Amino acid sequence: MNNNSKTGQGVRNIIFIIIAAAVLIILLSTAPFLISGKVDAVPVSFYFEQNTHPDHTGYHTSDFSVMSLNIGHGRGGGFHQMTQGRKKITSNADYISEIVMKEDITITALQEVDGPGLWNGGLDLIEHLAESSGYAHGIWTKNVDIPALSYGTAVLSSLPYSTAESFTFRARPVVLPKGFTLGVFRVSETDDRHVCVVSVHLDPIFSLMRRKQADAIIEKLAAYDYPVIIAGDFNCGWRTGSAVQYLAEKLNLQAWEPESKKYPTRLPGKRRLDWILISDEMEFVHYETLPYILSDHSAVRADIRFKEQQVY
């Protein structure tokens, strides 16, 4: 074997070692995603009850409305929240509140909503949204809590809640943790009807991880004997085996026209990642993707009513 052949073989060996090392690193990094879907119960990070804004009417006699929105840390239509600054993020939050009141939303499920942090100039975004939108009740889960950065899922409501719980999917390499906020809300004052509302944010990368997270949600909801609404950023569309379809099947939940292409939520593009699922005891009266640019996700709005005069 001549020197050139030896050199070529040596180069190939080095390349093979580099590729093998890269594959090993990837496997070690992603393995936790593939083998674990555990969820930790964490303290509720922020909850409140305050005076109702006059634009929020509180109890609804029949229909009530639910909105889901990934607010993208208050970036609005901008590229990234780091480029916005506190003043602009505050303005974006005020616009979200304006739309919430304009649409007369009874319950709003939020994702990627921040506490004070480095990129928003110390703005307590969840508290600002709670006050400016005029909601009387709210729950926030700090799914991410690291130096200079905290954010997670939330539920804001004009209806009172009797239960508030927070859950975070355990942190994994590469991706910051997601989770969900759960509240049991009293929908009707006259017949003491309640509904369990979940604001959820699932893993953005691995479909198998989303399925495991869905299993964790199912397990937690087993403790509640109430009709369920799950709203949020599922990071997947409606297809066989997807987390959103899996949750709907296992919990006997309905989705509005699940195979329709008319309700894209991820901007720009045509992907439908944000959903509102409801128990069979309820029905959709109206469903739409709202036209406002509030973040890199469109808000989803559903008008809902109970099918029968049952008490939960």
Side-chain angles (χ1 to χ4, degrees), residues 27-49:
L27 288 174
L28 290 175
S29 298
T30 60
F33 286 99
L34 303 178
I35 63 175
S36 177
K38 299 296 184 180
V39 63
D40 292 325
V42 297
V44 175
S45 306
F46 171 76
Y47 60 93
F48 68 92
E49 295 186 26

Side-chain angles (χ1 to χ4, degrees), residues 73 81-82 85-86 89 113-126 140 144-151:
H73 311 284
Q81 58 275 12
M82 281 291 289
R86 178 173 179 139
I89 289 177
V113 55
D114 296 32
L118 180 63
W119 58 32
N120 61 26
L123 172 68
D124 195 330
L125 184 55
I126 181 61
W140 177 54
V144 172
D145 187 14
I146 58 178
L149 181 62
S150 62
Y151 64 87

Side-chain angles (χ1 to χ4, degrees), residues 9 47 60 82 85 100 121 159 172 176 203 223 233 238 266 269:
Q9 183 64 43
Y47 60 93
H60 289 228
M82 281 291 289
V100 163
L159 305 175
R172 297 288 175 257
L176 289 170
D203 185 85
D233 181 359
W238 189 274
R266 186 64 167 88

Side-chain angles (χ1 to χ4, degrees), residues 274-288:
D274 305 79
W275 300 79
I276 297 175
L277 306 177
I278 64 174
S279 286
D280 209 33
E281 297 92 336
M282 296 174 281
E283 62 185 353
F284 290 108
V285 178
H286 177 74
Y287 191 99
E288 65 178 314

Side-chain angles (χ1 to χ4, degrees), residues 28-256:
L28 290 175
S29 298
T30 60
F33 286 99
L34 303 178
I35 63 175
S36 177
K38 299 296 184 180
V39 63
D40 292 325
V42 297
V44 175
S45 306
F46 171 76
Y47 60 93
F48 68 92
E49 295 186 26
Q50 61 187 16
N51 294 328
T52 304
H53 192 283
D55 286 347
H56 281 301
T57 56
Y59 291 111
H60 289 228
T61 56
S62 55
D63 302 355
F64 61 96
S65 55
V66 174
M67 185 178 89
S68 180
L69 173 65
N70 181 329
I71 70 169
H73 311 284
R75 71 171 66 98
F79 172 70
H80 193 275
Q81 58 275 12
M82 281 291 289
T83 67
Q84 303 294 299
R86 178 173 179 139
K87 184 176 180 180
K88 181 60 176 174
I89 289 177
T90 301
S91 176
N92 294 338
D94 288 340
Y95 183 44
I96 293 172
S97 297
E98 177 187 332
I99 298 305
V100 163
M101 289 189 289
K102 176 184 176 181
E103 296 287 333
D104 190 22
I105 305 297
T106 314
I107 301 172
T108 294
L110 299 172
Q111 303 84 45
E112 292 193 353
V113 55
D114 296 32
L118 180 63
W119 58 32
N120 61 26
L123 172 68
D124 195 330
L125 184 55
I126 181 61
E127 185 173 3
H128 183 83
L129 278 169
E131 292 177 354
S132 61
S133 61
Y135 278 118
H137 314 277
I139 314 163
W140 177 54
T141 301
K142 196 185 295 183
N143 298 128
V144 172
D145 187 14
I146 58 178
L149 181 62
S150 62
Y151 64 87
T153 51
V155 181
L156 303 180
S157 174
S158 59
L159 305 175
Y161 59 86
S162 58
T163 300
E165 289 199 87
S166 294
F167 301 94
T168 293
F169 301 118
R170 291 179 184 171
R172 297 288 175 257
V174 183
V175 177
L176 289 170
K178 309 299 183 186
F180 59 101
T181 298
L182 182 153
V184 175
F185 293 86
R186 188 180 182 189
V187 180
S188 172
E189 187 175 27
T190 56
D191 57 16
D192 200 30
R193 179 177 288 151
H194 292 74
V195 64
C196 181
V197 179
V198 178
S199 174
V200 64
H201 195 184
L202 298 184
D203 185 85
I205 299 178
F206 296 101
S207 60
L208 181 54
M209 189 61 200
R210 289 191 290 270
R211 280 283 295 268
K212 290 182 177 292
Q213 291 173 347
D215 279 328
I217 294 170
I218 292 166
E219 181 181 350
K220 293 301 178 183
L221 285 175
Y224 293 93
D225 190 22
Y226 297 106
V228 172
I229 298 173
I230 303 180
D233 181 359
F234 291 77
N235 270 311
C236 61
W238 189 274
R239 62 181 181 276
T240 302
S242 69
V244 62
Q245 189 185 75
Y246 181 71
L247 271 169
E249 177 185 336
K250 293 297 182 181
L251 293 173
N252 195 26
L253 305 178
Q254 307 171 61
W256 176 270

